[in-house]
Every structure is written in C-alpha cells, then in structure tokens.
Amino acid sequence: MQTITVIPGDGTGPELTSATLEVLEAGGADLKWEIMDAGQTAYEKGMKVLPDEVIDSIRRNKVALKGPLTTPVGTGFRSINVALRKALDLYVNLRPVKTYKGILSRYNDIDLVVVRENTEDLYAGVEHMVGEDAAESIKIITRKGSERIVRFAFEYARTEKRKKVTAVHKANIMKCTDGLFLDVARAVATEYPDIEFEDRIVDNMCMQLVVKPNLYDVLVMPNLYGDILSDLCAGLVGGLGVAPGANIGEEAAIFEPVHGSAPKYAGQNKVNPTAILLSAVLMLKYLGQTEVAVKIEKALSEVIAEGKEVTYDLGGEATTSQMAAAVIRKMRNN
Ligand code: NAD
C-alpha cells in the first residue's frame, strides 16, 4: 500500500483535506497517509513554518496531498509554497483546465492543460535596486530547465493521449531567453512525431484562449507566462474554487488546489472541495490508481451537474462535508 504525506494546511485547508480523505477512503484508494503540519498551523504550535520533518516525509513517500498554506509574516519566508517547490526541485506546475456541466462558464467544451516551468525565469529571485530610483530583475532561462519542462509536456501528452503541444513565449522580443526556450521546444518536438507541435507568442495566446480555447490541448511555457495564463484558464472554466494543480519533480510530487486558504471562511465548513478533490484525482492517476481516480471524478462531476448538494459558490447550500458525502453516495450508487 502506498503511503502519502498529507499536509492539511491553514485556514479552510483542514476541513477540505479531511473531506478529501473521506472520499479517497470511500473510493477504495490503496493509500495510507502521514499527516504533517506546516505553515501557520505549525507556527502556532511553536514549530518552524516549514519543518524539516515535512520535507523528509515527502522525500520518503515521494507523493503529497496538500491543503493551502498561509505564510506568517516575519518568518523569513516570502512563500512557504515556493520554498517547498525549491527544496524538492518540483520543476513542473501542472494545471488541467476542464469545463464541468453545472459550473457557470463562458464555454462548455474546454479541456486543456497548462504545463508551467516552476523554477526559473523572473522567479529565480535575482533582483535588486540600482541606486534609489531604479530596480533590476534578472530573467533566467536555461537549456536544461527548458528541456525538462518541454519533455514533460510531450511525455504527458503521450500518456494522456493528447494530440498537440503548444509552446508559449515572447521570443520576438526576448530573443536570448525566450529564444532559447523556443529553440529547445522545437528540438524536443522532433522526438515526438506522433504529437503535433506549434508555438504562439504569449499576447496572441491570451487572445486566442479567450476567443477559441477549444483549439488548444497541452500548453507549455516559462514560469511567469504560466503563472498568468493558468489563472486566465481557470477563469475560463469557473474560477479558483474548481482548479486543481500539481507540482512535480524527479524525486517527488505535491498535489494541491490552486486557491489559497480562504481564511475568512476557516472553520465554517463552507468552501468548495472540488479543487482539492480534483487534485486528489490527479494524484491517483500519477500513482497509477486510475480506476479510483475515474470513479471519484465521475461521481464529483455528477454531483456538480445535478447542482443539489453543492457549496455556495456553485449556487447551492451544502457544506464542504455534505458535498463530499454526496460524492461518496454517488460512488456507491454508480
Ligand atoms: P484565496 O484563494 O484564499 O481566497 C480568495 C477568495 O476566493 C476567497 O475569499 C473565497 O471567496 C474564494 N475561494 C478560495 N477558495 C475557495 C473554495 N475552495 N471554495 C469557494 N471559494 C473559494 O486567496 P487569498 O485571499 O489571496 O489568500 C489567502 C491566503 O492563502 C494567503 O495567506 C495566501 O498566501 C495563501 N495562499 C496559499 C496558496 C497555496 O498554499 N498554494 C495559494 C494562494 C494563496
């Protein structure tokens, strides 16, 4: 049986995570979990915000399911999430974007995946003031960083039986950095003749995604464009409450919803468990437990489509745990 690390997280994280573990258990997932505190919760217990034991646990188990974390001010971290991704070299940020019947959105046939590079680009954190009146930030793109993310996108496309990979860049202006990314993408694409390849300049890509998103399949891009485009894509299918994500490296992977800890709703058993449940579905697929993944996703999409036992943001009155219970009932009846 596979052991995973579970970080319940802060704010609404614990209620979302416990609802998810109930669904995983009811769905028959072949999993055991090791529960670990981090973030505000660890801090309030007198521990470090990112205890070494958390990183050790993820290294040992290789897979984690994580609720959102709040980074307490004054703890020396800009973001615990970024620190965790750096510590484990989780270079892929994977964000599937799919329309579900019952969730209000502009389109009803979107099914695309954003693959964002997670470690380089303007997020390398090399920035400084130049005197008092100017500031400089350095954009870092490497051949190795570009190659591994583009290769991941093609491998993912192949495994998931997807047809096309689109590389997104601004190589017409940033000829060195984005130029290198694009050159590498073109070279890697030649190794995957079964998958169509194209590239788009990022501004045009934004427009295309708003106007005809169903033309796209797997999108791969450097960090900053990925940050912006993945939220644009989440908006196309109903917002952050329903957007799952994963951060994946060679040694470990962390599955987590895209949204934050929504502290104003903490302890109210009110927020939508869809994003974390879909993150758990992604995790099960990653672990090869596809049958359970499909079962949970099917039940969840049926609960959403019926619209009777859904949370406030989907127009219903159900609590987090009632919506999870509805998913469990649906799985048992299917
Ligand atoms: P947030 O995502 O927590 O909340 C923004 C708003 O989105 C909420 O007020 C709520 O209306 C809505 N929302 C979020 N999740 C929802 C859900 N599951 N169901 C229904 N509605 C939902 O963003 P924020 O307020 O900017 O951040 C709050 C805290 O979370 C901050 O401390 C931030 O650093 C942290 N954060 C953590 C992560 C992470 O751990 N990956 C990501 C983003 C933000």
Side-chain angles (χ1 to χ4, degrees):
M1 187 177 281
Q2 167 86 34
T3 305
I4 59 165
T5 302
V6 171
I7 304 170
D10 300 314
T12 53
E15 51 212 88
L16 287 168
T17 312
S18 70
T20 306
L21 295 182
E22 280 173 27
V23 173
L24 283 171
E25 207 154 32
D30 190 24
L31 294 175
K32 284 194 295 191
W33 33 85
E34 215 170 76
I35 307 240
M36 308 295 290
D37 285 328
Q40 184 92 32
T41 310
Y43 189 64
E44 283 165 7
K45 291 182 180 170
M47 294 149 66
K48 289 202 284 186
V49 290
L50 184 51
D52 296 338
E53 301 79 57
V54 174
I55 295 179
D56 292 345
S57 168
I58 301 174
R59 282 216 173 99
R60 197 169 48 246
N61 297 325
K62 305 204 182 316
V63 172
L65 179 66
K66 177 184 152 303
L69 292 173
T70 303
T71 305
V73 178
T75 51
F77 280 95
R78 255 189 318 168
S79 156
I80 308 169
N81 294 305
V82 174
L84 204 49
R85 287 168 206 166
K86 276 206 168 133
L88 297 163
D89 194 22
L90 306 179
Y91 64 92
V92 181
N93 183 233
L94 183 71
R95 299 256 301 252
V97 181
K98 195 169 159 187
T99 30
Y100 287 94
K101 191 165 170 270
I103 298 178
L104 197 62
S105 62
R106 197 166 281 273
Y107 297 95
N108 56 17
D109 54 354
I110 299 177
D111 182 10
L112 52 85
V113 181
V114 178
V115 178
R116 165 189 172 190
E117 203 287 325
N118 227 356
T119 60
E120 302 196 324
D121 199 353
L122 286 160
Y123 288 70
V126 189
E127 58 170 7
H128 49 254
M129 294 300 296
V130 182
E132 282 185 6
D133 299 322
E136 230 172 43
S137 182
I138 297 178
K139 176 170 161 117
I140 296 172
I141 300 283
T142 67
R143 187 175 298 283
K144 177 184 165 209
S146 304
E147 192 171 325
R148 66 181 183 174
I149 195 70
V150 174
R151 198 171 290 290
F152 178 92
F154 275 99
E155 288 294 331
Y156 181 86
R158 204 174 250 177
T159 311
E160 295 290 315
K161 305 200 173 17
R162 288 180 174 268
K163 296 194 164 50
K164 182 167 77 171
V165 171
T166 306
V168 183
H169 61 88
K170 188 80 185 172
N172 52 332
I173 302 294
M174 279 161 278
K175 294 188 191 303
C176 282
T177 47
D178 284 18
L180 175 60
F181 179 82
L182 181 57
D183 282 350
V184 170
R186 285 182 172 143
V188 172
T190 60
E191 296 173 36
Y192 296 86
D194 48 322
I195 294 162
E196 192 189 334
F197 173 74
E198 62 183 10
D199 71 275
R200 291 278 180 279
I201 294 175
V202 62
D203 40 344
N204 178 32
M205 189 73 237
C206 289
M207 198 266 289
Q208 299 272 332
L209 281 169
V210 172
V211 177
K212 35 190 171 182
N214 32 27
L215 290 188
Y216 296 93
D217 197 347
V218 176
L219 309 175
V220 62
M221 65 204 81
N223 210 336
L224 180 63
Y225 308 144
D227 191 8
I228 299 167
L229 257 69
S230 52
D231 273 23
L232 184 156
C233 290
L236 285 174
V237 297
L240 294 184
V242 297
N247 293 288
I248 302 172
E250 302 296 342
E251 306 291 332
I254 300 180
F255 296 82
E256 60 178 330
V258 168
H259 62 71
S261 53
K264 71 178 176 191
Y265 295 127
Q268 295 179 29
N269 193 19
K270 188 177 162 112
V271 292
N272 190 347
T274 299
I276 190 163
L277 282 172
L278 290 175
S279 306
V281 165
L282 267 184
M283 176 184 77
L284 289 168
K285 287 186 182 162
Y286 179 86
L287 289 170
Q289 298 190 31
T290 312
E291 212 175 298
V292 190
V294 170
K295 189 157 78 169
I296 295 175
E297 188 179 9
K298 180 170 183 292
L300 174 63
S301 64
E302 287 171 5
V303 168
I304 294 171
E306 285 171 11
K308 285 189 277 193
E309 290 177 280
V310 293
T311 47
Y312 75 98
D313 56 311
L314 298 181
E317 288 174 4
T319 61
T320 308
S321 43
Q322 283 168 342
M323 187 165 166
V327 173
I328 292 172
R329 265 199 315 281
K330 195 58 91 182
M331 280 193 294
R332 292 200 171 127
N333 294 336
N334 274 345

